[in-house]
Each structure stands twice: as structure tokens, then as C-alpha cells.
Amino acid sequence: MLDATSSYKPTGSRSSPYETGQSIVPETTRRADRLPGNRYGNRPTMKDVAARAGVGLKTVSRVVNGEPGVTPDTERRVQEAIEALGFRRNDSARVLRKGRTASIGLVLEDLADPFYGPLSRAVEEVARAHGALLINGSSAEDPDREQELALALCARRVDGLVVIPAGDDHRYLEPEIRAGVATVFVDRPAGRIDADVVLSDNYGGARDGVAHLIAHGHRRIGFIGDMPRIHTAAERLRGYRAAMRDAGITVEERWMSLGATNPERVRRAAQEMLSGPDPVTAVFTGNNRVTVTVIRVLAEQTRRVALVGFDDIELADLLQPGVTVVAQDAAALGRTAAERLFRQLDGTLLVPERIELPTRLVTRGSGELPPAD
Amino acid sequence: MLDATSSYKPTGSRSSPYETGQSIVPETTRRADRLPGNRYGNRPTMKDVAARAGVGLKTVSRVVNGEPGVTPDTERRVQEAIEALGFRRNDSARVLRKGRTASIGLVLEDLADPFYGPLSRAVEEVARAHGALLINGSSAEDPDREQELALALCARRVDGLVVIPAGDDHRYLEPEIRAGVATVFVDRPAGRIDADVVLSDNYGGARDGVAHLIAHGHRRIGFIGDMPRIHTAAERLRGYRAAMRDAGITVEERWMSLGATNPERVRRAAQEMLSGPDPVTAVFTGNNRVTVTVIRVLAEQTRRVALVGFDDIELADLLQPGVTVVAQDAAALGRTAAERLFRQLDGTLLVPERIELPTRLVTRGSGELPPAD
DNA sequence: CTGAAAGCGCTTACAG
DNA sequence: CTGAAAGCGCTTACAG
């Protein structure tokens, strides 16, 4: 069955992105030899099946797609040819002809962040329910990389795009959207274009969380958040300010620290506001990564410092004290966004909308500690 | 610019998987109206660009791909046409002609499991470095769904497949592998086919973890793991048995419990081995989900019970006591698998191999507790 | 330096 | 019930 001249390279793959050089491995041990000899290593096509079954191309297409109008006998012959040849329909070719690719793209920040796991799973579930595949990639919080990825997905002609923005200018997507690519932004709003957006109530959640600390007697409350150019960070800071203002508390500059969420920076920021003559008695942390680091810093303190964090974290209930958080529903964010995407696709959606999902305050102990002084 | 008869549906998309019915929305407010009027809502093609620039198709192709042999003046005219039309090359069509799709598939168990986040990120990073996109999906631990997904990815003609198996029979992939689809299994071995496999040293890791408990004086040690049909669960149980045997301890049936990792089942299993006349004094947990539940159960006990868990978990160091674990390097698993995939693709790889990555015992307190009796 | 023709593997529209 | 022809949007191989 094997053709000695068969090559593992599909015809014309010389410029494949993967090729790094010539192999010097003896031909006899190469995986290449596993390839069937038909057509220089290529797979059988409908044409091959048609030839073998002695029928026309269209008849094979009918059988493969389960269309009616084929006699049982013809169908059997085609099926046999399919089996014998190991034919599998090339959906890329199919899709080129049909117009839609039944795939959607997801551009997120970092797959390894526990917040995005449930979100992407939810997007995937909805895609699956609509018969679509998910192509995804991470921007690593880099606006250029976000754009590069989103446009690469558009070039693959995904039917729609779910984007967790890293950048704040998405005008580069305008031609794509006009050309029919359904687009929904999640977690953070789109920048400078009019598009569907699904967000958590970052402002209200932070405000409630901080108000909770105030209700337990705190006045000197710190805020440690992500870089201010990130929308969620700015909104949560705004919520913090609002709660403080509502309580008649004048916020001091040194109580607030926005910046990268790497442990070193967060640790320094926390230590600064916890030292000096009038240290904060409570901290509000702006996201899960910040919360985790601050928990570590607080564990080293002799004083008891209250803490409320934005985003829930695993095992938060088992720490001493349990960690009080403002929880977002990451799965609901993903699900809502994906469902909206498919409603755009089936044409039932009209004008871009901004959807805000509520947050939930989960009290576990750390947010109910009284001020230490 | 807008053609009043333009429709948002690409030609022939009647049978699109997304279409659920006819919209009754007035035409004037439909997103459809955003589409340019060229070709019934379709996007401009190279042919359109060529016509507008007054050049041949091949010249447009040259410009788009940055190939040499185009005069600056011609190139400028083509570029202008591209801008004016909002042309973006259809990579699906390109790929159909070129043979390889520059995309790989990832079939995993559950994107929302914190173990798989870093693993998929690592796969994605390697794919990106090789200019490939990642298409992924979850099997939800269902062998049929794994197969359906893997074959759908093959029908899309991914160049390669990274599979975290749910099932134990992968002969269904044989025709695909023969046809040239590079394939690597991670975390669990392939079933009934010869293929590249990248695993953690589940047996050795579990054996060392249990030996650690024995070294701290324990003899009645429980094991709670995942369903026995899952390879990692079986291997870890084997490691447990080996450590016990090496220490001359006869294992009692009631010390071992394998099954689904939902909290209810695990909780019951833990409670059973912790009660009765001769309760276990230590527990070895078979994965991160089991560990988390068992930590909760142990927190409710009056007695101090030692614990070593397979898989690291976030905040494990902040619990009281800190949780001692056998840590796997999820990112290294993903990276190794993806790199092997691309080495298959560039032809430098020969025979399928089984690669085992070491685990690491991280002592934090819970595994060093002495027996309570 | 430039372009017309053929082809990648399917589906569509049409004719028998 | 069946199939030949044209076309989806590109690239390849070739000729000027």
C-alpha cells in the first residue's frame, strides 16, 4: 500500500510555517512512511471516493451530507468506498464554499488566570450548542497583540469574535464588523467603537464592598488595584471613591495605589499604606491577583487588618479569617456574551447594547473585622 | 455606498447552523445595513482589488504576500485599492490551496479546572511561536465527546492535535495520524494506539508523597482518588500501594476510595475512613479537586489528620496548616507536548515516545503532622 | 516585472 | 434518482 516516493509534506508546503530545515533521518524510519501513497501524501477527496464507487461527485456529496435522493444500493457503494479510502470530508473546503465557517474567535487576556477559565468554558459551551468551534488566543494584556490576534481570526473568517480587550481603541475592527463579523466585548468595554459590551457592575460592586468596610467602623481604607488604563481598575477605584465620599471621608493619596499586579509591586504598596503614623485599618483589593498577594502581606502583620477583595478566590472560606469578596459571575459573563454573539449572527439583534451583570458581596470574616485601633 | 438590496447573509448561508428563523425587524434598523453593498454582503476579494487597481490577480497576491517583483508604482495602486475596499485576505481559502492550515487542535477535559489553564496557555504559547492558531474544546471527561471533537478538528484539517484523553481507545485516530495529522497525548496515555505521550510521573509522585507520610509515623493512611478508569488515578493508586508495601504495611480496603470527584462523594469517602474504631491518621488525595474537598472535611474534625495532596493548589501555603502537595508542572506538560507536536510536523521526529516529567514534593505542614493517636 | 490558466476540495444551481 | 459544470478565494506553475 505504501508508495516509496510518498512524502510527508502536502504538495506545496515548502513555505509552511513549521518547516525548519531538512531532516537527515533515514527514510525508512520516518513517520512519513505511515502516509498512504495516494496523491503524494494527501488525503482522499470526494473525487477519489466517486471514482472508486463509480458514481458522480455530487452523489458522494449527497451521501456524506445525508441528503435524500440516493438509492440504498448506491449509498452502500459510496459508504464502502469511504471506508476503504478512509475519507473524511474537508470542512475547510466546505466552509469556503458555504460562506460561514461555524467557528468563533475568543481573544482573552491570559488562559492561566483562574478568572478566565470559567469564562472561556462558558463561551465554549454556547459555541458548541450552536455547532461552532472555538479558536482562541491570549493578548497578554498587550494591545498590539490583541489587534494582531483579532485580525488573524478575522482573516480566518471566524463568524464572530468575543473580545476581552487589552487596548482602548478598537477602530481597527470597524471594517470587519461592517463586513459582517459579529462582535461582543466582555469584561471591559470597547474603545472608540459602538459595539455590544457585557460587563460586571464594577463600580457598584466596589462601592458596596468599601461601604461594607465603612459600616464595620473603618475610615482609613486602602485601595490597591490594577493599572489605571484598564477599565475595570478605573471603575473599581471610582466605586471606592464614591463609597468614601458618601460616608464623608476625605481620601488621602497614600491610601490608593494603582499599577501592575505582580506580587512585588502589590506587596510594596500594601506595606506602605500599612506603615507610618496613621496606617490604614482595612484594604480593598481590586482583583484576584492583588487579593492573593495582600492576604500574604496581612498574614505577616501583627495587627489585624480588614480585607475585602474584588473577585472570588478558591479556598477563600478556609483561610483564617475567611476572605470577604465582591464576587463576579465569570461564567455568566461568558455565557451572556456568547449568546449575544449568536443572536447577532441569526439576525435578531438590533442596536449595540451595554449589559451590566450584578456582583455579589460574600461575607466570610475578613471584611467584618473591626478597626485595630 | 449601501445597496438597498444587500442582505447580511452570505450567499448560500440558508443552512447555516446559526439561523433560527426569519427576523421581523424593520430593515432600516438592522445591523445588516452596515454591510457594504458589494456582492450581496460578501467581502471584497483579490479579484475585486485587481479590478479596481487595474492589475492582474497575481499581482495583488504578490503585494498582499510581500513577494518581490512588483514596481513601486504598481504596488502603490494595489495598496490604495486594498485600503479603499477594506480588503483582508481570506486565509481559509489560502490554506485550502497551500495544504497546511497553520492551526492545531487542543482537546482537554475542562477549561475551568485550574490545572488545565496553565497547560493550555503553554500549548498556545508554543503554537504562537510557530505561527499557528489554537482551536480547542472540552471533552467534559466524556469519551464520545472527545472523539467527536477530535474528529471535528481533523475535518477542519488542523495540522496537529494535542489530546488530553477522556477515553481509553484512540484507534479512531489511526486514519488521521496515517494521513499526516501530528498527534501528542498529554497528562494521560493514548489507548490502543502507538503515539507520543507526555505524562507526569504519577506513580513515583504518589509513592513519594505516601512515603513522606509514612516517614512521619503514619501507618493507617487513606487514599481518595478519581475514577479508576482514568489512568492518572490508577497510577497514583499504584504509587500509594507501592509505598505502603515498601513499608511493610498491609492496606485495608476501607482505606481506599476511587470514584467521581464531586464534593459529595469525596466528602462521604473521607468521613467514612475518618470514623470507626481505627480511623486513618493521614489522607493522600489523588488530585486538586479531591484535595480541596478533603481540606474542608478535615477542618471540621477535632483530631488533627495529616494530608498530602496530588497537584498544587493556590493559597495552599496560607492555610493552617499549609498543605503539603506533590506538585506537577502543568505548563511544562503543555509546552513539552506542543514542542513535540511541531517537531513531528517539521519531520525531525521518528518513533513515538513516552516522556515522563518529574513531580516535586512541596512540604508546608499538613504532611508533616504526626499521627493523632 | 506581470498575468492567464489550472487547481485546492468542496457546494450550488441546473439539467437530465 | 443522478451528475457535469461553475464557483467559493486563494496559490501554483508557467509563459510572456
Side-chain angles (χ1 to χ4, degrees):
Chain A
M1 277 302 277
L2 287 181
D3 176 349
T5 65
S6 78
S7 158
Y8 71 108
K9 306 265 185 216
T11 313
S13 72
R14 288 277 158 107
S15 59
S16 145
Y18 307 142
E19 192 156 349
T20 56
Q22 282 304 314
S23 168
I24 53 164
V25 172
E27 283 297 329
T28 45
T29 59
R30 296 180 62 159
R31 274 169 201 254
D33 297 337
R34 294 204 209 155
L35 292 176
N38 55 321
R39 311 262 294 278
Y40 308 102
N42 279 333
R43 308 183 64 136
T45 69
M46 281 193 181
K47 203 171 151 195
D48 300 324
V49 175
R52 172 146 189 153
V55 300
L57 193 57
K58 177 62 196 168
T59 298
V60 177
S61 176
R62 285 198 180 89
V63 172
V64 169
N65 295 301
E67 288 168 21
V70 182
T71 53
D73 183 59
T74 308
E75 171 158 8
R76 192 184 41 70
R77 281 200 348 261
V78 171
Q79 286 291 9
E80 279 172 10
I82 288 176
E83 293 284 310
L85 261 32
F87 169 79
R88 180 171 310 284
R89 184 181 66 195
N90 183 334
D91 280 352
S92 296
R94 168 171 222 241
V95 125
L96 172 63
R97 182 64 235 238
K98 288 193 87 88
R100 281 195 178 168
T101 59
S103 60
I104 67 172
L106 172 62
V107 179
L108 40 71
E109 195 243 304
D110 178 5
L111 259 177
D113 185 321
F115 177 71
Y116 295 113
L119 197 157
S120 8
R121 183 186 35 189
V123 171
E124 190 207 314
E125 288 297 330
V126 176
R128 183 178 143 80
H130 288 264
L133 286 174
L134 222 208
I135 310 183
N136 62 13
S138 303
S139 69
E141 210 65 277
D142 174 351
D144 291 338
R145 195 161 149 182
E146 172 211 298
Q147 172 169 350
E148 182 200 351
L149 227 180
L151 290 180
L153 294 171
C154 289
R156 289 298 178 98
R157 295 293 186 267
V158 292
D159 299 329
L161 222 40
V162 175
V163 182
I164 296 168
D168 54 6
D169 186 351
H170 298 94
R171 284 175 297 180
Y172 71 86
L173 275 176
E174 266 176 341
E176 310 299 326
I177 293 173
R178 262 201 307 274
V181 179
T183 310
V184 180
F185 292 79
V186 207
D187 188 40
R188 307 165 183 176
R192 314 188 68 166
I193 64 169
D194 193 26
D196 274 326
V197 171
V198 182
L199 307 168
S200 279
D201 180 9
N202 294 291
Y203 167 77
R207 195 193 50 208
D208 295 351
V210 175
H212 183 73
L213 288 167
I214 295 172
H216 282 81
H218 297 274
R219 296 188 65 81
R220 296 198 307 278
I221 302 172
F223 177 94
I224 306 181
D226 210 331
M227 296 176 285
R229 71 169 173 82
I230 298 177
H231 175 264
T232 47
E235 281 294 290
R236 292 167 196 175
L237 176 62
R238 204 163 67 76
Y240 163 84
R241 284 183 179 286
M244 297 296 265
R245 191 185 52 237
D246 290 351
I249 303 171
T250 307
V251 173
E252 296 188 18
E253 272 306 317
R254 62 190 179 86
W255 295 350
M256 295 175 298
S257 172
L258 297 198
T261 58
N262 57 303
E264 300 72 29
R265 204 229 21 124
V266 170
R267 172 170 286 275
R268 219 177 314 118
Q271 281 166 342
E272 265 171 37
M273 51 182 81
L274 287 167
S275 59
D278 281 318
V280 300
T281 63
V283 179
F284 186 85
T285 48
N287 71 28
N288 55 349
R289 291 186 297 272
V290 175
T291 305
V292 167
T293 300
V294 169
I295 291 172
R296 293 211 161 83
V297 173
L298 296 188
E300 300 158 3
Q301 301 281 312
T302 48
R303 246 174 344 121
R304 292 278 253 178
V305 177
L307 170 67
V308 174
F310 209 105
D311 292 334
D312 206 354
I313 51 181
E314 207 178 10
L315 299 185
D317 56 319
L318 288 177
L319 296 175
Q320 299 291 349
V323 184
T324 294
V325 299
V326 176
Q328 325 183 48
D329 191 340
L333 283 173
R335 198 183 321 115
T336 307
E339 275 164 1
R340 244 192 121 69
L341 191 81
F342 285 103
R343 284 181 53 205
Q344 285 183 28
L345 250 13
D346 72 18
T348 58
L349 229 48
L350 317 174
V351 205
E353 241 176 83
R354 178 194 180 97
I355 300 176
E356 219 167 69
L357 265 40
T359 58
R360 197 166 45 92
L361 182 73
V362 185
T363 58
R364 297 197 180 106
S366 73
E368 295 74 57
L369 294 173
D373 48 1
Chain B
M1 278 302 278
L2 286 182
D3 176 349
T5 64
S6 78
S7 158
Y8 71 107
K9 306 266 186 218
T11 314
S13 72
R14 288 278 158 104
S15 58
S16 145
Y18 307 140
E19 192 156 348
T20 55
Q22 283 304 315
S23 167
I24 52 165
V25 171
E27 283 295 330
T28 46
T29 58
R30 295 179 63 158
R31 275 168 201 254
D33 297 337
R34 295 202 208 157
L35 292 177
N38 55 320
R39 312 262 294 277
Y40 308 102
N42 278 335
R43 307 184 63 137
T45 69
M46 280 193 182
K47 202 171 153 194
D48 300 322
V49 174
R52 171 144 188 155
V55 299
L57 192 58
K58 177 62 196 168
T59 299
V60 177
S61 175
R62 285 197 181 90
V63 171
V64 168
N65 295 302
E67 287 169 22
V70 182
T71 53
D73 183 60
T74 309
E75 171 158 9
R76 193 184 41 70
R77 283 200 346 262
V78 172
Q79 286 292 9
E80 278 172 12
I82 288 175
E83 293 284 309
L85 261 32
F87 169 79
R88 180 173 309 285
R89 184 182 65 196
N90 183 334
D91 280 353
S92 297
R94 169 171 221 241
V95 124
L96 173 61
R97 183 63 235 238
K98 287 193 87 87
R100 281 195 176 166
T101 59
S103 61
I104 67 171
L106 172 62
V107 179
L108 40 72
E109 195 243 304
D110 178 4
L111 258 178
D113 185 319
F115 177 71
Y116 295 113
L119 197 158
S120 10
R121 185 189 31 191
V123 172
E124 190 207 316
E125 288 295 332
V126 176
R128 181 179 144 80
H130 288 264
L133 287 174
L134 222 207
I135 311 182
N136 62 14
S138 303
S139 69
E141 210 66 276
D142 175 351
D144 291 337
R145 195 161 149 184
E146 172 210 298
Q147 172 168 351
E148 181 199 352
L149 227 180
L151 290 179
L153 294 171
C154 289
R156 288 300 178 98
R157 295 293 186 265
V158 292
D159 300 329
L161 222 40
V162 175
V163 182
I164 296 168
D168 55 6
D169 186 351
H170 297 94
R171 284 176 297 181
Y172 70 87
L173 275 177
E174 265 176 342
E176 310 298 326
I177 293 173
R178 262 201 306 274
V181 178
T183 309
V184 180
F185 292 79
V186 207
D187 188 40
R188 306 165 184 176
R192 315 187 68 165
I193 64 170
D194 192 26
D196 274 326
V197 171
V198 181
L199 307 168
S200 280
D201 180 11
N202 294 292
Y203 167 75
R207 195 194 49 207
D208 295 352
V210 174
H212 183 73
L213 288 167
I214 296 171
H216 282 82
H218 297 274
R219 296 188 65 81
R220 296 199 307 278
I221 302 172
F223 178 94
I224 306 180
D226 210 332
M227 294 177 285
R229 71 168 173 82
I230 297 177
H231 175 262
T232 48
E235 280 295 289
R236 293 169 196 174
L237 176 63
R238 203 162 67 77
Y240 163 84
R241 284 184 180 284
M244 297 295 266
R245 190 185 53 235
D246 290 350
I249 303 170
T250 306
V251 173
E252 296 189 18
E253 272 307 317
R254 61 190 180 87
W255 296 350
M256 295 175 298
S257 172
L258 296 199
T261 58
N262 57 303
E264 301 71 30
R265 208 247 352 144
V266 171
R267 172 171 287 276
R268 217 176 316 117
Q271 282 165 343
E272 264 170 40
M273 50 183 81
L274 287 167
S275 59
D278 281 317
V280 299
T281 64
V283 179
F284 186 86
T285 47
N287 71 28
N288 55 349
R289 292 185 296 273
V290 175
T291 305
V292 167
T293 300
V294 169
I295 291 173
R296 293 211 160 83
V297 173
L298 296 188
E300 300 157 3
Q301 300 283 313
T302 48
R303 245 174 345 121
R304 293 277 254 177
V305 177
L307 170 67
V308 173
F310 209 106
D311 293 334
D312 207 353
I313 52 181
E314 207 178 11
L315 298 184
D317 56 321
L318 288 176
L319 296 174
Q320 298 290 350
V323 184
T324 294
V325 300
V326 176
Q328 326 183 47
D329 191 341
L333 283 173
R335 198 183 322 116
T336 308
E339 276 164 1
R340 243 190 123 68
L341 191 80
F342 285 103
R343 283 181 54 203
Q344 284 184 26
L345 250 13
D346 71 18
T348 58
L349 229 49
L350 317 174
V351 204
E353 243 176 81
R354 177 194 180 98
I355 299 176
E356 219 167 69
L357 266 38
T359 58
R360 197 166 45 91
L361 182 73
V362 186
T363 59
R364 298 197 179 106
S366 73
E368 294 75 55
L369 295 174
D373 48 1

